[in-house]
Each structure stands twice: as C-alpha cells, then as structure tokens.
Amino acid sequence: MRYLKNDQMKSFKYLTAGIMLLIGASACNKIIDIDPISNIGVNAFYRNYEETKAALTGSYNGLQKPLEFEWMLTDLRTDNSKQGVANSSAAINFEFNELDMFTLNSAHDKVYQYWLVTYKNLRSINYVLKSLGVSYAGGQTTVGEGTAQMSVQQKNQLAGEALFLRAYHYFNLVRLYGDVFLITEPVDPEQSKKITRTPVAECYQLITADLLAAKDLLSQAPYAAATNPDAGRASSWAAKALLAKVYLSTNRAASALPLLEDVISNSGHGMLSAFADVFSINNEMNKEILFAVRFKAGGLGLGNLMANNFAPTSSGSAIVNGDGSGYNFPTNELDVTYKTPATGPVDARKAVTMAKYSAKLYVKKFISPVLVKFDAENDFPVLRFSDVLLMKAEALGFGPASVNLINEVRARAGATDDTSGDFNAGFYKYLTDGSANAIHTPAQFLTALLNERRLEFAFENQRFFDLVRTGQAVAVIKNHFALEFDSHYKAYRPAFTLAELQANLTPEKLLLPIPQRELDANDQIKIVQNPGY
C-alpha cells in the first residue's frame, strides 16, 4: 500500500505484514471476528510509537477487503448496476441476482463476508486505540494514557487516524445494516457473546464523536504543504468532509455547512481540470482526493481486484491481462443518462467511467494494466473535492448558489452554457434565471443534484447511500426496474411480472439482514433480525 512512496514506507509496510501474521483464527462462537491481534490475550497492547504505527498501517490495509464486496451491497442495489447475464447458472450470479432484485435472505454469503471483514478490521483499529489510551463513553471520545509510549504529537496523529477509520467503518455498517454491534475496545470471546445490537442513533453518536475528535487531533496542513509520508493517511480535512456527510445523513445540514465551507476555503484541495486525471494511476493522491483506499500492484498481495472483476468475460487480454469476471454491469439506463450527442458539448465522464466490449457495457473507471491477475494499481476514492462541492449544494438547499455549485462540477465534465434553446440536446449547465429550462423548484433541484452525483460518482459506491439519505431510493429503484424490465428482467426464468419485481423492494428491505450465522452462533442472547428477513 502506498501510504508512503519512499523506502521508509516500504519497511513500514513489511513490518505491518509481520504483525498481521500474528492474527490467529477466531476461537469465538460469535461470528464477529474479534479474536486478539496476538495470541496473548486482550490485555496485551502495543508498547511504543513504532509498533502502534505499524499496526495502524495494517488497519489501512484492512480497508481493502470490504471493497471486494461493497459494490454488491451498494451500486448493485441501485439503478447504476445489475447482474448482466439473465438465467446465468453461475453460483455467484445467483447471489448477485438476489441483491439486484431484493430477494436475498439472511444467509446471503456476500452480506456476511462484508460484515466479517469489516468487523475484523474494527478489531484491529480498537487495539490501536486502546494502546493509545483512547476511550469512548457517554457520547464522548477522549484520549488518555495508554500502554504505547510516544510524544503527544505522535499520539494525537495516530489516534486521529484510527478514529477516522473506525468512524468510516461504522458509518458504512449503520447505513447498510441499521442497528449494529458497537464495539469500541478489544473484548474476549465470552464477552463478545453478550454484546447486542446498538440503536442507530447511538451508533451515530459514536461516529460523530470519533470524527469530532479526529478533526481536532489530525493535521490541518493544506494539501500543498502536506509531506509525502502523509499521502493516503487521514487528515483533518478528510475527517471534516466525512463528518459533514454524517450530518447530512442525520438531517443536520446546518451543522454540515461550516465544515464544508472550511474544507473548500482552507484545505488546499480542489478539482482537477480533467476528470480522467482524477483516476490516473500516474496521478494518485492528487489534490482532488481527500481520502482513498490505497492499493499497490507488484505481487505484494495489496493489488486491486476491480480491474479483472469488472472487465468483461471472454475478453482475453483485450481489456486487461488475465481476462475479466464480468461483474458490476452498468445499466442501460445509466448509459443513456450521460449526455453524449453527436454534435455539441459531451459529458467527458462517460468515457472514463464505462465502455462497451462486444456490445456489452462494463465499468472502466478502475481498470489499469496488470501484469498479474487481480493485482491492479488503482486506488479507490472515498472522499473527493467534487463530493464536498455537491454536499455543500445539498446543505444549502434549492437556490442559485447551490445550482452554481452543481454547475461547477458539471463544467469540469464539459458542460457549456445553453445557447441552443433545447437543454436536452447537449450537455449544458443548469440555468438559474426564469427561463423554461431553469430549475424552479426544490424538487427539480433535488433531481438535478442526485443526477449530478450519479454521473460524477458512478461505481464509487455512493449512489445507494445518496438515494437513501434523500428519501428517493424506493421510487428510483422501482422506476429502474420498469425502465429495464423489457430489455433485461423479462428474460429471467421462471418468469415474473414487473409488479412482482417491484414488490420485492419495500422500505424495510433497504437495510441488509444481520447475517444469519451471527444470530445462530450466539448461545448467550437472542439477536433480533431486521424486519422483512
């Protein structure tokens, strides 16, 4: 992983690999994998800065595995993506179908795998935090005395990074599963079986408290002044941006706004002039990236799987060496949503985001040349500056200033002023005057905002959360089923009607089930399942 680009980082990475080898198999009957990071029990912690920093790098590495499954639980359950081979006999495609069409049950393997690897990394993060003396109680995160001896500056930096990572994981978990197991310190197997689900509101208290602490503990150096060793590590600006998204997700737009304005005015981050450059493997951790999950090619076990997973099947080496698995098919609906007329301004994001091979759409955004299959270089962006601009538009609500923020993102993608008189004939900025093509109502503004976020962040696993946050998920996904029914879903056997397909999706099904293995394995307390499963 390239959190540092120099020799210091290389040794840092390999030291982490040694520590990670100490992780044993879980002896815990509860499926949350919270066994100790070493074999000497939950009361053994890191002793100094070097050990703690190396363990924290292991936690950064631990961000990679959830991304193997995250797109299945997010974009696949929206109008961005679908299981693209009707009536496929492949077992993995049956699992994709269940997510795509909201027919899954609580035994779904990928729902369990995401849960498992996320909690595994949370365990590692909690060991780091405990060693640093970080505790959480009563809605407050505090830094006290820990077992690891280091300077105050060193402790603050490591604690801030670890708190950001913990908040990031729990933010994803609570949005996908609802009430989850809130574990804030290492526990032994017997203790773990007595932990029950924590209500969503209390989960958000922890997420908020961790990010409030992180933003104050972490460096506020602007992007240009950040040192190379900091590349890829969480910063105060990343914590503020993530906290703003948490506030938007909990109906606290007024609290999000000053954080977003601070990032825009003072972080030194900004949009690149070309959308393609944001994702170039030769331009990683550029000024548009506030935070990304980092990957490293070269046979280190840290490469990105997405290039081969998302490339089309039977494409040989035409798209990427080692062929593709054909996962994450873009929908036809998304394909035509990008404005790409034969003449006039074109949305440049489409050519970066998706392409066709043998008449089949595939995700292009995270494909780069690989020497070895499943070993691509591409980082995965979590927070981008364009996201900050569009979050500010959302926080402001309908008005000329917020429309202009959408236009700022739109212009980077190639939109021009509309001089044609036909807004739908090309790729244009939205109008703010009183003309017929202008945005006149809050409903029109929300539609424009969600459309812009969809085009800007397609396949960055944001669409599902955007739709849920704004209350649009059920209506939008049911409409997607209608738009793609004749061209795709109608071909499935046994056949079903559009009404039957749409009936699968109810508001309660927006949450994933708690993995059945979690419920069955606990012989101490009864874990309540989410409604509808």
Side-chain angles (χ1 to χ4, degrees), residues 47-106:
R47 299 166 297 178
N48 52 48
Y49 175 69
E50 288 73 19
E51 288 182 2
T52 312
K53 187 178 180 183
L56 180 59
T57 297
S59 299
Y60 277 104
N61 289 349
L63 300 178
Q64 295 179 346
K65 191 64 175 178
L67 286 177
E68 183 178 339
F69 310 104
E70 188 176 283
W71 70 269
M72 307 173 194
L73 312 184
T74 53
D75 269 347
L76 184 56
R77 297 200 296 148
T78 71
D79 51 353
N80 275 3
S81 182
K82 63 187 178 186
Q83 192 287 103
V85 186
N87 302 311
S88 168
S89 61
I92 188 67
N93 284 339
F94 281 111
E95 292 183 320
F96 292 164
N97 286 339
E98 291 171 339
L99 291 163
D100 181 14
M101 297 188 284
F102 292 85
T103 59
L104 72 159
N105 61 36
S106 59

Short mmCIF file of all heavy atoms in Angstrom, two decimals, residues 47-106:
data_model
loop_
_atom_site.label_atom_id
_atom_site.label_comp_id
_atom_site.label_asym_id
_atom_site.label_seq_id
_atom_site.Cartn_x
_atom_site.Cartn_y
_atom_site.Cartn_z
N ARG A 47 3.41 -1.19 22.54
CA ARG A 47 4.22 -0.58 23.59
C ARG A 47 4.82 0.76 23.22
O ARG A 47 5.19 1.53 24.11
CB ARG A 47 5.36 -1.54 23.97
CG ARG A 47 4.89 -2.87 24.52
CD ARG A 47 6.02 -3.88 24.56
NE ARG A 47 6.50 -4.16 23.20
CZ ARG A 47 7.51 -4.97 22.91
NH1 ARG A 47 8.18 -5.55 23.90
NH2 ARG A 47 7.87 -5.17 21.66
N ASN A 48 4.95 1.04 21.92
CA ASN A 48 5.63 2.27 21.53
C ASN A 48 5.09 2.77 20.19
O ASN A 48 4.19 2.16 19.60
CB ASN A 48 7.15 2.03 21.44
CG ASN A 48 7.49 0.83 20.56
OD1 ASN A 48 6.99 0.70 19.45
ND2 ASN A 48 8.34 -0.06 21.08
N TYR A 49 5.67 3.87 19.74
CA TYR A 49 5.19 4.52 18.52
C TYR A 49 5.37 3.61 17.31
O TYR A 49 4.45 3.49 16.48
CB TYR A 49 5.96 5.83 18.32
CG TYR A 49 5.65 6.54 17.03
CD1 TYR A 49 4.41 7.12 16.82
CD2 TYR A 49 6.61 6.65 16.02
CE1 TYR A 49 4.11 7.79 15.63
CE2 TYR A 49 6.33 7.30 14.84
CZ TYR A 49 5.08 7.87 14.64
OH TYR A 49 4.80 8.52 13.47
N GLU A 50 6.51 2.97 17.19
CA GLU A 50 6.79 2.16 16.00
C GLU A 50 5.80 1.00 15.89
O GLU A 50 5.26 0.72 14.81
CB GLU A 50 8.22 1.63 16.03
CG GLU A 50 9.29 2.69 15.77
CD GLU A 50 9.50 3.64 16.95
OE1 GLU A 50 9.10 3.28 18.10
OE2 GLU A 50 10.03 4.74 16.73
N GLU A 51 5.57 0.30 17.00
CA GLU A 51 4.62 -0.82 16.96
C GLU A 51 3.20 -0.35 16.64
O GLU A 51 2.50 -0.97 15.84
CB GLU A 51 4.61 -1.55 18.32
CG GLU A 51 5.86 -2.35 18.60
CD GLU A 51 5.77 -3.08 19.93
OE1 GLU A 51 4.72 -2.98 20.61
OE2 GLU A 51 6.76 -3.76 20.28
N THR A 52 2.80 0.75 17.24
CA THR A 52 1.42 1.24 17.05
C THR A 52 1.23 1.76 15.64
O THR A 52 0.19 1.52 15.01
CB THR A 52 1.11 2.34 18.08
OG1 THR A 52 1.51 1.91 19.38
CG2 THR A 52 -0.37 2.65 18.09
N LYS A 53 2.21 2.45 15.14
CA LYS A 53 2.12 2.98 13.78
C LYS A 53 2.06 1.85 12.76
O LYS A 53 1.30 1.90 11.79
CB LYS A 53 3.30 3.90 13.49
CG LYS A 53 3.19 4.63 12.15
CD LYS A 53 4.38 5.56 11.94
CE LYS A 53 4.27 6.29 10.62
NZ LYS A 53 5.47 7.14 10.35
N ALA A 54 2.87 0.81 12.99
CA ALA A 54 2.85 -0.33 12.08
C ALA A 54 1.50 -1.04 12.13
O ALA A 54 0.95 -1.46 11.10
CB ALA A 54 3.97 -1.29 12.43
N ALA A 55 0.93 -1.18 13.33
CA ALA A 55 -0.38 -1.81 13.45
C ALA A 55 -1.46 -0.97 12.77
O ALA A 55 -2.38 -1.50 12.16
CB ALA A 55 -0.72 -2.00 14.92
N LEU A 56 -1.33 0.36 12.86
CA LEU A 56 -2.29 1.23 12.19
C LEU A 56 -2.21 1.08 10.68
O LEU A 56 -3.24 1.10 9.98
CB LEU A 56 -2.05 2.69 12.60
CG LEU A 56 -2.99 3.72 11.99
CD1 LEU A 56 -4.45 3.43 12.36
CD2 LEU A 56 -2.60 5.13 12.43
N THR A 57 -1.02 0.90 10.15
CA THR A 57 -0.90 0.65 8.72
C THR A 57 -1.61 -0.64 8.35
O THR A 57 -2.23 -0.74 7.28
CB THR A 57 0.58 0.57 8.31
OG1 THR A 57 1.20 1.82 8.57
CG2 THR A 57 0.72 0.24 6.83
N GLY A 58 -1.55 -1.64 9.22
CA GLY A 58 -2.33 -2.85 8.99
C GLY A 58 -3.82 -2.56 8.91
O GLY A 58 -4.54 -3.18 8.13
N SER A 59 -4.28 -1.59 9.68
CA SER A 59 -5.69 -1.21 9.63
C SER A 59 -6.03 -0.48 8.33
O SER A 59 -7.14 -0.62 7.80
CB SER A 59 -6.03 -0.32 10.83
OG SER A 59 -5.83 -1.01 12.05
N TYR A 60 -5.09 0.29 7.82
CA TYR A 60 -5.29 0.88 6.48
C TYR A 60 -5.39 -0.23 5.43
O TYR A 60 -6.24 -0.19 4.55
CB TYR A 60 -4.15 1.84 6.13
CG TYR A 60 -4.28 3.23 6.69
CD1 TYR A 60 -3.53 3.64 7.79
CD2 TYR A 60 -5.13 4.16 6.10
CE1 TYR A 60 -3.64 4.93 8.29
CE2 TYR A 60 -5.24 5.45 6.60
CZ TYR A 60 -4.49 5.83 7.69
OH TYR A 60 -4.60 7.11 8.18
N ASN A 61 -4.49 -1.20 5.53
CA ASN A 61 -4.57 -2.34 4.62
C ASN A 61 -5.92 -3.03 4.73
O ASN A 61 -6.47 -3.54 3.74
CB ASN A 61 -3.47 -3.36 4.94
CG ASN A 61 -2.08 -2.87 4.57
OD1 ASN A 61 -1.92 -1.87 3.89
ND2 ASN A 61 -1.07 -3.58 5.05
N GLY A 62 -6.46 -3.05 5.94
CA GLY A 62 -7.73 -3.70 6.19
C GLY A 62 -8.92 -3.03 5.55
O GLY A 62 -10.02 -3.59 5.55
N LEU A 63 -8.74 -1.84 5.00
CA LEU A 63 -9.82 -1.17 4.26
C LEU A 63 -10.06 -1.81 2.90
O LEU A 63 -11.11 -1.61 2.29
CB LEU A 63 -9.48 0.31 4.05
CG LEU A 63 -9.26 1.18 5.28
CD1 LEU A 63 -8.90 2.60 4.86
CD2 LEU A 63 -10.48 1.18 6.18
N GLN A 64 -9.08 -2.56 2.41
CA GLN A 64 -9.17 -3.11 1.06
C GLN A 64 -10.23 -4.20 0.94
O GLN A 64 -11.03 -4.21 0.00
CB GLN A 64 -7.81 -3.65 0.62
CG GLN A 64 -6.73 -2.61 0.48
CD GLN A 64 -5.40 -3.22 0.05
OE1 GLN A 64 -5.22 -4.44 0.11
NE2 GLN A 64 -4.48 -2.38 -0.38
N LYS A 65 -10.23 -5.13 1.87
CA LYS A 65 -11.07 -6.32 1.72
C LYS A 65 -12.56 -5.98 1.66
O LYS A 65 -13.28 -6.57 0.84
CB LYS A 65 -10.78 -7.29 2.86
CG LYS A 65 -11.41 -8.68 2.66
CD LYS A 65 -10.83 -9.39 1.45
CE LYS A 65 -11.37 -10.81 1.33
NZ LYS A 65 -10.85 -11.51 0.13
N PRO A 66 -13.10 -5.07 2.48
CA PRO A 66 -14.52 -4.75 2.34
C PRO A 66 -14.91 -4.26 0.96
O PRO A 66 -16.05 -4.48 0.51
CB PRO A 66 -14.74 -3.66 3.41
CG PRO A 66 -13.72 -3.96 4.45
CD PRO A 66 -12.51 -4.42 3.67
N LEU A 67 -13.99 -3.62 0.24
CA LEU A 67 -14.31 -3.11 -1.09
C LEU A 67 -14.54 -4.23 -2.10
O LEU A 67 -15.16 -4.00 -3.15
CB LEU A 67 -13.20 -2.18 -1.59
CG LEU A 67 -13.16 -0.81 -0.93
CD1 LEU A 67 -11.98 -0.01 -1.46
CD2 LEU A 67 -14.45 -0.04 -1.15
N GLU A 68 -14.06 -5.43 -1.80
CA GLU A 68 -14.34 -6.55 -2.68
C GLU A 68 -15.84 -6.83 -2.75
O GLU A 68 -16.35 -7.30 -3.78
CB GLU A 68 -13.58 -7.79 -2.18
CG GLU A 68 -13.75 -9.01 -3.06
CD GLU A 68 -12.95 -10.20 -2.56
OE1 GLU A 68 -11.99 -9.99 -1.78
OE2 GLU A 68 -13.30 -11.34 -2.94
N PHE A 69 -16.55 -6.49 -1.66
CA PHE A 69 -17.98 -6.79 -1.56
C PHE A 69 -18.86 -5.54 -1.57
O PHE A 69 -20.06 -5.65 -1.84
CB PHE A 69 -18.24 -7.58 -0.28
CG PHE A 69 -17.34 -8.76 -0.09
CD1 PHE A 69 -16.29 -8.70 0.82
CD2 PHE A 69 -17.50 -9.91 -0.83
CE1 PHE A 69 -15.43 -9.77 0.99
CE2 PHE A 69 -16.65 -10.99 -0.67
CZ PHE A 69 -15.61 -10.93 0.24
N GLU A 70 -18.29 -4.39 -1.27
CA GLU A 70 -19.12 -3.21 -1.03
C GLU A 70 -19.97 -2.82 -2.24
O GLU A 70 -21.13 -2.42 -2.09
CB GLU A 70 -18.24 -2.04 -0.60
CG GLU A 70 -19.03 -0.82 -0.15
CD GLU A 70 -18.11 0.27 0.36
OE1 GLU A 70 -17.63 0.14 1.51
OE2 GLU A 70 -17.86 1.23 -0.38
N TRP A 71 -19.42 -2.94 -3.45
CA TRP A 71 -20.20 -2.56 -4.63
C TRP A 71 -21.45 -3.43 -4.77
O TRP A 71 -22.48 -2.97 -5.27
CB TRP A 71 -19.33 -2.66 -5.90
CG TRP A 71 -18.99 -4.06 -6.30
CD1 TRP A 71 -17.90 -4.79 -5.92
CD2 TRP A 71 -19.76 -4.92 -7.14
NE1 TRP A 71 -17.93 -6.05 -6.46
CE2 TRP A 71 -19.07 -6.16 -7.23
CE3 TRP A 71 -20.96 -4.77 -7.84
CZ2 TRP A 71 -19.53 -7.24 -7.98
CZ3 TRP A 71 -21.43 -5.84 -8.58
CH2 TRP A 71 -20.73 -7.05 -8.66
N MET A 72 -21.36 -4.68 -4.31
CA MET A 72 -22.51 -5.58 -4.39
C MET A 72 -23.65 -5.11 -3.49
O MET A 72 -24.83 -5.30 -3.81
CB MET A 72 -22.10 -7.00 -3.98
CG MET A 72 -20.90 -7.57 -4.70
SD MET A 72 -20.42 -9.16 -3.95
CE MET A 72 -18.78 -9.38 -4.67
N LEU A 73 -23.31 -4.51 -2.37
CA LEU A 73 -24.29 -4.08 -1.38
C LEU A 73 -24.77 -2.67 -1.63
O LEU A 73 -25.72 -2.22 -0.97
CB LEU A 73 -23.69 -4.19 0.02
CG LEU A 73 -22.98 -5.50 0.37
CD1 LEU A 73 -22.52 -5.48 1.82
CD2 LEU A 73 -23.85 -6.71 0.10
N THR A 74 -24.13 -1.97 -2.55
CA THR A 74 -24.48 -0.57 -2.82
C THR A 74 -24.92 -0.39 -4.27
O THR A 74 -26.11 -0.43 -4.57
CB THR A 74 -23.30 0.35 -2.46
OG1 THR A 74 -22.11 -0.09 -3.14
CG2 THR A 74 -23.04 0.35 -0.96
N ASP A 75 -23.97 -0.23 -5.19
CA ASP A 75 -24.34 0.07 -6.58
C ASP A 75 -25.21 -1.01 -7.21
O ASP A 75 -26.09 -0.71 -8.02
CB ASP A 75 -23.09 0.29 -7.43
CG ASP A 75 -22.67 1.75 -7.47
OD1 ASP A 75 -23.47 2.60 -7.05
OD2 ASP A 75 -21.55 2.04 -7.92
N LEU A 76 -24.98 -2.27 -6.88
CA LEU A 76 -25.78 -3.35 -7.46
C LEU A 76 -27.23 -3.25 -7.01
O LEU A 76 -28.12 -3.77 -7.68
CB LEU A 76 -25.18 -4.70 -7.07
CG LEU A 76 -25.82 -5.96 -7.67
CD1 LEU A 76 -25.84 -5.90 -9.20
CD2 LEU A 76 -25.09 -7.21 -7.20
N ARG A 77 -27.47 -2.60 -5.90
CA ARG A 77 -28.85 -2.44 -5.41
C ARG A 77 -29.43 -1.07 -5.80
O ARG A 77 -30.32 -0.56 -5.11
CB ARG A 77 -28.88 -2.63 -3.88
CG ARG A 77 -28.47 -4.03 -3.45
CD ARG A 77 -28.96 -4.34 -2.05
NE ARG A 77 -28.37 -3.48 -1.06
CZ ARG A 77 -29.01 -3.10 0.05
NH1 ARG A 77 -30.25 -3.47 0.29
NH2 ARG A 77 -28.39 -2.32 0.92
N THR A 78 -28.92 -0.49 -6.90
CA THR A 78 -29.46 0.77 -7.39
C THR A 78 -29.70 0.66 -8.89
O THR A 78 -29.62 -0.41 -9.48
CB THR A 78 -28.48 1.93 -7.13
OG1 THR A 78 -27.33 1.79 -8.00
CG2 THR A 78 -28.02 1.97 -5.69
N ASP A 79 -29.94 1.82 -9.49
CA ASP A 79 -30.14 1.90 -10.94
C ASP A 79 -28.82 2.06 -11.70
O ASP A 79 -28.83 2.27 -12.90
CB ASP A 79 -31.08 3.06 -11.29
CG ASP A 79 -30.68 4.37 -10.63
OD1 ASP A 79 -29.75 4.38 -9.80
OD2 ASP A 79 -31.30 5.41 -10.94
N ASN A 80 -27.69 1.97 -11.01
CA ASN A 80 -26.38 2.07 -11.68
C ASN A 80 -25.92 0.74 -12.26
O ASN A 80 -25.25 0.70 -13.28
CB ASN A 80 -25.31 2.56 -10.70
CG ASN A 80 -25.27 4.07 -10.60
OD1 ASN A 80 -26.08 4.76 -11.22
ND2 ASN A 80 -24.35 4.58 -9.80
N SER A 81 -26.23 -0.36 -11.57
CA SER A 81 -25.62 -1.64 -11.89
C SER A 81 -26.65 -2.75 -11.82
O SER A 81 -27.69 -2.62 -11.17
CB SER A 81 -24.47 -1.92 -10.91
OG SER A 81 -23.82 -3.13 -11.21
N LYS A 82 -26.33 -3.86 -12.48
CA LYS A 82 -27.21 -5.03 -12.46
C LYS A 82 -26.37 -6.28 -12.68
O LYS A 82 -25.21 -6.20 -13.12
CB LYS A 82 -28.29 -4.92 -13.54
CG LYS A 82 -27.74 -4.90 -14.97
CD LYS A 82 -28.84 -4.63 -15.98
CE LYS A 82 -28.25 -4.55 -17.41
NZ LYS A 82 -29.27 -4.15 -18.39
N GLN A 83 -26.95 -7.41 -12.38
CA GLN A 83 -26.36 -8.69 -12.78
C GLN A 83 -26.71 -8.85 -14.24
O GLN A 83 -27.87 -8.97 -14.60
CB GLN A 83 -26.92 -9.82 -11.92
CG GLN A 83 -26.17 -11.14 -12.04
CD GLN A 83 -26.38 -11.87 -13.36
OE1 GLN A 83 -25.51 -11.83 -14.23
NE2 GLN A 83 -27.52 -12.51 -13.52
N GLY A 84 -25.72 -8.86 -15.09
CA GLY A 84 -25.96 -8.63 -16.51
C GLY A 84 -26.25 -9.83 -17.37
O GLY A 84 -26.44 -9.68 -18.58
N VAL A 85 -26.27 -11.05 -16.81
CA VAL A 85 -26.47 -12.24 -17.63
C VAL A 85 -27.71 -12.97 -17.13
O VAL A 85 -27.65 -13.78 -16.20
CB VAL A 85 -25.25 -13.18 -17.58
CG1 VAL A 85 -25.43 -14.34 -18.54
CG2 VAL A 85 -23.97 -12.41 -17.90
N ALA A 86 -28.84 -12.67 -17.73
CA ALA A 86 -30.09 -13.30 -17.31
C ALA A 86 -29.97 -14.82 -17.45
O ALA A 86 -29.43 -15.33 -18.43
CB ALA A 86 -31.24 -12.78 -18.15
N ASN A 87 -30.48 -15.53 -16.44
CA ASN A 87 -30.51 -17.00 -16.44
C ASN A 87 -29.12 -17.64 -16.40
O ASN A 87 -28.96 -18.81 -16.77
CB ASN A 87 -31.29 -17.54 -17.65
CG ASN A 87 -32.71 -17.02 -17.67
OD1 ASN A 87 -33.40 -17.09 -16.66
ND2 ASN A 87 -33.14 -16.49 -18.80
N SER A 88 -28.13 -16.90 -15.95
CA SER A 88 -26.81 -17.49 -15.76
C SER A 88 -26.89 -18.60 -14.72
O SER A 88 -27.62 -18.51 -13.74
CB SER A 88 -25.81 -16.42 -15.29
OG SER A 88 -24.61 -17.01 -14.84
N SER A 89 -26.12 -19.66 -14.93
CA SER A 89 -26.08 -20.77 -13.98
C SER A 89 -24.94 -20.65 -12.98
O SER A 89 -24.77 -21.51 -12.11
CB SER A 89 -25.95 -22.09 -14.73
OG SER A 89 -24.75 -22.11 -15.49
N ALA A 90 -24.14 -19.59 -13.09
CA ALA A 90 -23.02 -19.40 -12.18
C ALA A 90 -23.53 -19.07 -10.78
O ALA A 90 -24.41 -18.22 -10.61
CB ALA A 90 -22.11 -18.29 -12.68
N ALA A 91 -22.98 -19.72 -9.77
CA ALA A 91 -23.44 -19.52 -8.39
C ALA A 91 -23.31 -18.06 -7.97
O ALA A 91 -24.19 -17.51 -7.29
CB ALA A 91 -22.65 -20.42 -7.45
N ILE A 92 -22.20 -17.40 -8.35
CA ILE A 92 -22.01 -16.01 -7.97
C ILE A 92 -23.10 -15.12 -8.55
O ILE A 92 -23.55 -14.17 -7.93
CB ILE A 92 -20.60 -15.52 -8.38
CG1 ILE A 92 -20.33 -14.12 -7.81
CG2 ILE A 92 -20.44 -15.51 -9.89
CD1 ILE A 92 -20.22 -14.08 -6.32
N ASN A 93 -23.57 -15.45 -9.76
CA ASN A 93 -24.61 -14.64 -10.37
C ASN A 93 -25.96 -14.82 -9.69
O ASN A 93 -26.79 -13.90 -9.68
CB ASN A 93 -24.71 -14.94 -11.86
CG ASN A 93 -23.58 -14.30 -12.64
OD1 ASN A 93 -22.96 -13.34 -12.18
ND2 ASN A 93 -23.30 -14.82 -13.83
N PHE A 94 -26.20 -16.00 -9.11
CA PHE A 94 -27.40 -16.16 -8.29
C PHE A 94 -27.35 -15.21 -7.09
O PHE A 94 -28.36 -14.59 -6.72
CB PHE A 94 -27.53 -17.61 -7.80
CG PHE A 94 -28.07 -18.56 -8.82
CD1 PHE A 94 -27.27 -19.53 -9.38
CD2 PHE A 94 -29.39 -18.47 -9.24
CE1 PHE A 94 -27.77 -20.42 -10.32
CE2 PHE A 94 -29.91 -19.36 -10.18
CZ PHE A 94 -29.09 -20.33 -10.73
N GLU A 95 -26.17 -15.09 -6.48
CA GLU A 95 -26.02 -14.16 -5.35
C GLU A 95 -26.21 -12.72 -5.80
O GLU A 95 -26.83 -11.91 -5.09
CB GLU A 95 -24.65 -14.35 -4.71
CG GLU A 95 -24.49 -15.69 -4.02
CD GLU A 95 -23.15 -15.83 -3.34
OE1 GLU A 95 -22.12 -15.39 -3.92
OE2 GLU A 95 -23.11 -16.37 -2.23
N PHE A 96 -25.67 -12.38 -6.96
CA PHE A 96 -25.86 -11.03 -7.48
C PHE A 96 -27.34 -10.76 -7.76
O PHE A 96 -27.84 -9.67 -7.49
CB PHE A 96 -25.05 -10.83 -8.76
CG PHE A 96 -23.55 -10.83 -8.57
CD1 PHE A 96 -22.69 -10.99 -9.65
CD2 PHE A 96 -22.99 -10.66 -7.30
CE1 PHE A 96 -21.32 -10.98 -9.49
CE2 PHE A 96 -21.60 -10.64 -7.13
CZ PHE A 96 -20.78 -10.81 -8.22
N ASN A 97 -28.02 -11.75 -8.34
CA ASN A 97 -29.45 -11.58 -8.63
C ASN A 97 -30.23 -11.25 -7.36
O ASN A 97 -31.13 -10.40 -7.37
CB ASN A 97 -30.03 -12.86 -9.25
CG ASN A 97 -29.61 -13.06 -10.68
OD1 ASN A 97 -29.21 -12.13 -11.36
ND2 ASN A 97 -29.68 -14.30 -11.15
N GLU A 98 -29.92 -11.95 -6.29
CA GLU A 98 -30.65 -11.74 -5.04
C GLU A 98 -30.47 -10.32 -4.51
O GLU A 98 -31.41 -9.74 -3.95
CB GLU A 98 -30.19 -12.76 -4.00
CG GLU A 98 -30.62 -14.19 -4.34
CD GLU A 98 -29.99 -15.22 -3.44
OE1 GLU A 98 -28.94 -14.93 -2.82
OE2 GLU A 98 -30.54 -16.33 -3.34
N LEU A 99 -29.28 -9.76 -4.69
CA LEU A 99 -29.05 -8.38 -4.28
C LEU A 99 -29.68 -7.41 -5.26
O LEU A 99 -30.35 -6.45 -4.86
CB LEU A 99 -27.54 -8.13 -4.17
CG LEU A 99 -26.83 -8.84 -3.02
CD1 LEU A 99 -25.34 -8.86 -3.23
CD2 LEU A 99 -27.17 -8.18 -1.69
N ASP A 100 -29.50 -7.66 -6.53
CA ASP A 100 -30.02 -6.79 -7.59
C ASP A 100 -31.53 -6.66 -7.50
O ASP A 100 -32.10 -5.58 -7.67
CB ASP A 100 -29.60 -7.37 -8.94
CG ASP A 100 -30.05 -6.55 -10.13
OD1 ASP A 100 -30.46 -5.39 -9.95
OD2 ASP A 100 -29.98 -7.07 -11.26
N MET A 101 -32.22 -7.78 -7.21
CA MET A 101 -33.68 -7.81 -7.25
C MET A 101 -34.32 -7.87 -5.86
O MET A 101 -35.51 -8.11 -5.73
CB MET A 101 -34.15 -8.98 -8.11
CG MET A 101 -33.72 -8.85 -9.57
SD MET A 101 -34.43 -10.08 -10.68
CE MET A 101 -33.46 -11.53 -10.27
N PHE A 102 -33.51 -7.67 -4.82
CA PHE A 102 -34.01 -7.59 -3.44
C PHE A 102 -34.77 -8.85 -3.03
O PHE A 102 -35.80 -8.80 -2.36
CB PHE A 102 -34.89 -6.34 -3.26
CG PHE A 102 -34.11 -5.05 -3.35
CD1 PHE A 102 -33.85 -4.46 -4.59
CD2 PHE A 102 -33.60 -4.44 -2.22
CE1 PHE A 102 -33.12 -3.29 -4.68
CE2 PHE A 102 -32.88 -3.27 -2.29
CZ PHE A 102 -32.63 -2.69 -3.53
N THR A 103 -34.21 -10.01 -3.40
CA THR A 103 -34.80 -11.29 -3.00
C THR A 103 -33.91 -12.05 -2.03
O THR A 103 -34.15 -13.23 -1.75
CB THR A 103 -35.07 -12.17 -4.24
OG1 THR A 103 -33.83 -12.40 -4.94
CG2 THR A 103 -36.07 -11.51 -5.18
N LEU A 104 -32.87 -11.42 -1.50
CA LEU A 104 -31.92 -12.11 -0.64
C LEU A 104 -32.55 -12.47 0.69
O LEU A 104 -33.55 -11.87 1.12
CB LEU A 104 -30.69 -11.26 -0.41
CG LEU A 104 -30.81 -10.03 0.49
CD1 LEU A 104 -29.46 -9.62 1.03
CD2 LEU A 104 -31.45 -8.86 -0.26
N ASN A 105 -31.94 -13.45 1.36
CA ASN A 105 -32.31 -13.78 2.73
C ASN A 105 -31.11 -13.58 3.63
O ASN A 105 -30.03 -13.16 3.19
CB ASN A 105 -32.87 -15.20 2.82
CG ASN A 105 -31.86 -16.26 2.38
OD1 ASN A 105 -30.66 -16.15 2.62
ND2 ASN A 105 -32.35 -17.32 1.72
N SER A 106 -31.28 -13.89 4.90
CA SER A 106 -30.24 -13.57 5.88
C SER A 106 -29.02 -14.48 5.79
O SER A 106 -28.02 -14.23 6.47
CB SER A 106 -30.83 -13.64 7.30
OG SER A 106 -31.33 -14.94 7.55
#
